[in-house]
Amino acid sequence: MTLNLRIWRQKDSHAEGAIESYELPGVSSDMSFLEMLDILNEQLIGKGEEPVSFDHDCREGVCGSCGAMVNGQVHGPDTETTLCQLHMRRFKDGDTLQVEPWRSAAFPVLKDLVVDRSSFDRIQQAGGYVSVATGSPPDANSVPIPKDDAEAAFDYAECIGCGGCVAACPNGAAMLFTAAKVAHLKKLPQGQPERERRVLSMVDTMDKEGFGACTNHYECTAACPKGVPIDAIATMNREYLRATFFSKEGV
Amino acid sequence: MLSWIERFVSSSVGRKALMALTGLMLIGFLIAHLAGNLSLFAGDGGTAFDAYAHAISSLPILPIAEVALALLFLGHIYLAVKTTRENRRARPQGYSVTGTHGEKSFASKTMFPTGVVILAFLIKHLWDFRLQKEAFEEAPYASVQQALSDPLTASVYMLGILALGIHLSHAFGSALQSLGANHPKYTPALRAIGKVLAVALTLGFISIPIYFWLGGSSS
Ligand code: HEM
Ligand code: FES
């Protein structure tokens, strides 16, 4: 099939970007979206032009590196699918695809479709961890965890940090990402010692990085390639109220 | 002020919790307000409504209640403006094409505009019945009848109430989530109750200008 691609091109973080149009013939329906971009880049390189930069690593939907808006939809039209797992059979000959990077004050564009997501790392560093004694690994199952709790914790832990929730949110909020960490560790005994400090400090950092505030559109969870459930955000809100009013943190 | 309180009110999560709290209290006020106003429909030429209006205006606690209500409104509006501004700042550059995965709704996307329409209506409403207090208290029913028999006033009221209905259809469920109230057993039912409440309040309030526009009990 032949596609009309309209892709955001931006030289570096200081340059003004713009949408550029490319006609790409010979796209196979078996290609992934990233493979389609690879073909485009081969053509661009052949013509002596600058290839389109995009993030990618595993190309099997587990690492969270890839991502772009396709016709205004995070990771394209499919549900629970990363851009690398989106396949061109989803589109038909002659389609126009508008491809843009995530847009957020906290995710500055570095080049073309590549954005700087280190703000996520700083939120993570603010409390998305547990303190454990180092040394030899503990016996498996030495800390019993009810199966339901383990499964719920895993639903939150599935977050791959791609940033799609921020991109999908009309407010540019990072609540689903942050809440996934808070809700995940709250479910587990290992997460208890830092429970109050974690939520206060992660929300503080999230605000400082310039993300917006949730007004409950629920677009994030619909766009999330891992389907992280929206109740994570309610849990984070509850944890935040609990830590503020019922703990000694911040006295 | 204590630092933990400052931290709470300036955080995104704390601000949203306060917005939800003020919003829910305003919904509580709306329910009471509508319940009282339904006496307009008694069909007794206004006796029931006049008695109700006089009972309210002779309540010794009324000045305090009015201040509290004004603070709820001002608080909610202040938080709404601040949150909306910060949310716009969080996405300085928008998308050239906007799409969806299907969750955001017309109501959720228009909370600020509907809020502004509600505020404009509220100012008109206060002008009609609160700032011209003497005229209202002398003949409550007659002044409602007079104000709402004017098609322009009645249209402004209907528009304001429709905006309120759209605002409320998102507001109740949103407030629960903002306060962290989410439970698989209750949330679906509570969200449904929120929608029913929004429809009931809208129909209840909008029936008043329609009734008087059509001539009220005098026709
Ligand atoms: C009787 C009048 C009003 C009622 C009952 C009401 C109620 C509510 C409720 C319950 C929420 C949900 C809060 C949350 O999820 O945290 C809300 C949100 C909001 N309100 Fe109002 N409100 C009213 C008037 C206004 C006015 C006058 C404005 C602005 C000028 C406004 C602007 C907003 C905005 C921007 C939101 C944020 C959307 C969201 O978080 O869901 N509201 N309102
Ligand atoms: S490249 Fe790893 S998730 Fe897409």
Side-chain angles (χ1 to χ4, degrees):
Chain A
M1 65 179 108
T2 299
L3 293 174
N4 302 307
L5 299 170
R6 292 173 49 78
I7 303 178
W8 182 261
R9 301 304 308 268
Q10 183 172 333
K11 208 163 140 267
D12 55 45
S13 49
H14 307 292
E16 288 257 329
I19 298 273
E20 300 273 343
S21 298
Y22 305 93
E23 196 186 73
L24 187 63
V27 176
S28 150
S29 58
D30 293 335
M31 287 176 183
S32 75
F33 196 90
L34 300 189
E35 283 163 347
M36 183 275 292
L37 289 179
D38 291 337
I39 303 289
L40 171 70
N41 279 345
E42 276 174 18
Q43 294 192 0
L44 290 176
I45 292 166
K47 283 191 278 182
E49 291 176 29
E50 186 74 12
V52 177
S53 292
F54 59 91
D55 262 330
H56 62 101
D57 189 7
C58 71
R59 297 204 175 205
E60 52 186 21
V62 295
C63 75
S65 295
C66 66
M69 300 301 268
V70 181
N71 290 339
Q73 289 177 300
V74 167
H75 294 296
D78 286 340
T79 48
E80 301 201 12
T81 304
T82 55
L83 194 64
C84 58
Q85 289 298 299
L86 174 65
H87 283 76
M88 300 316 290
R89 56 180 161 276
R90 197 66 174 69
F91 304 102
K92 52 185 198 311
D93 188 45
D95 275 358
T96 297
L97 303 184
Q98 187 100 359
V99 189
E100 287 180 90
W102 298 162
R103 297 287 187 202
S104 157
F107 287 166
V109 174
L110 296 176
K111 188 169 196 239
D112 300 336
L113 303 176
V114 180
V115 298
D116 177 0
R117 286 171 287 191
S118 58
S119 47
F120 266 14
D121 299 340
R122 291 186 288 275
I123 295 176
Q124 187 76 26
Q125 284 157 8
Y129 53 80
V130 294
S131 302
V132 289
T134 54
S136 53
D139 279 348
N141 300 324
S142 60
V143 182
I145 298 169
K147 185 161 187 301
D148 288 348
D149 287 351
E151 284 190 354
F154 195 75
D155 285 344
Y156 304 128
E158 273 195 69
C159 169
I160 51 176
C162 66
C165 46
V166 176
C169 176
N171 309 322
M175 291 259 186
L176 192 64
F177 169 79
T178 311
K181 318 299 161 201
V182 170
H184 161 209
L185 296 175
K186 181 224 154 183
K187 275 281 174 202
L188 301 174
Q190 293 89 338
Q192 299 313 306
E194 293 101 349
R195 182 172 167 185
E196 289 82 14
R197 206 175 316 154
R198 171 180 306 116
V199 64
L200 293 173
S201 151
M202 290 184 86
V203 169
D204 264 359
T205 308
M206 177 182 85
D207 291 347
K208 278 200 201 92
E209 292 291 340
F211 292 105
C214 178
T215 59
N216 305 319
H217 293 280
Y218 297 177
E219 196 59 31
C220 52
T221 189
C224 176
K226 297 295 153 185
V228 169
I230 197 68
D231 63 28
I233 297 182
T235 300
M236 179 172 75
N237 292 341
R238 201 161 62 236
E239 287 294 295
Y240 193 86
L241 292 171
R242 181 180 171 277
T244 298
F245 293 103
F246 304 108
S247 84
K248 292 198 176 132
E249 278 305 321
V251 183
Chain B
M1 211 194 273
L2 289 166
S3 69
W4 66 272
I5 298 178
E6 270 181 336
R7 179 191 206 169
F8 177 71
V9 297
S10 60
S11 75
S12 54
V13 173
R15 248 191 288 126
K16 279 312 310 286
L18 290 172
M19 243 172 119
L21 204 65
T22 52
L24 287 179
M25 285 154 93
L26 288 173
I27 292 178
F29 159 72
L30 290 179
I31 295 172
H33 189 37
L34 179 62
N37 283 359
L38 288 179
S39 62
L40 285 163
F41 297 135
D44 55 1
T47 320
F49 183 71
D50 287 353
Y52 161 70
H54 285 135
I56 293 277
S57 56
S58 52
L59 282 177
I61 199 184
L62 185 67
I64 300 170
E66 282 187 332
V67 170
L69 189 58
L71 286 179
L72 282 184
F73 269 108
L74 291 177
H76 187 77
I77 293 166
Y78 169 76
L79 294 164
V81 170
K82 193 161 164 59
T83 301
T84 305
R85 282 186 50 168
E86 288 192 1
N87 286 351
R88 297 217 169 123
R89 223 175 283 147
R91 172 157 305 132
Q93 178 163 15
Y95 297 107
S96 58
V97 174
T98 37
T100 173
H101 275 96
E103 279 293 333
K104 59 188 174 191
S105 65
F106 177 72
S108 77
K109 284 185 286 184
T110 55
M111 288 304 272
F112 190 71
T114 53
V116 171
V117 176
I118 298 170
L119 181 61
F121 158 70
L122 183 65
I123 292 169
K124 164 90 177 121
H125 184 48
L126 289 174
W127 172 259
D128 288 342
F129 300 119
R130 180 64 184 79
L131 298 177
Q132 305 174 40
K133 201 171 176 178
E134 274 85 65
F136 177 73
E137 282 181 356
E138 219 161 87
Y141 186 83
S143 60
V144 172
Q145 195 169 28
Q146 195 203 338
L148 292 181
S149 55
D150 169 27
L152 186 66
T153 305
S155 313
V156 170
Y157 274 57
M158 287 190 271
L159 208 69
I161 293 162
L162 280 179
L164 178 68
I166 297 169
H167 199 82
L168 291 182
S169 71
H170 175 69
F172 189 77
S174 177
L176 294 179
Q177 173 86 357
S178 298
L179 288 169
N182 186 315
H183 193 284
K185 277 185 187 157
Y186 311 112
T187 301
L190 283 171
R191 290 181 73 86
I193 289 172
K195 299 263 184 223
V196 171
L197 194 65
V199 173
L201 284 169
T202 308
L203 291 180
F205 277 117
I206 210 162
S207 64
I208 299 170
I210 293 176
Y211 177 75
F212 285 102
W213 198 4
L214 297 177
S217 65
S218 58
S219 70

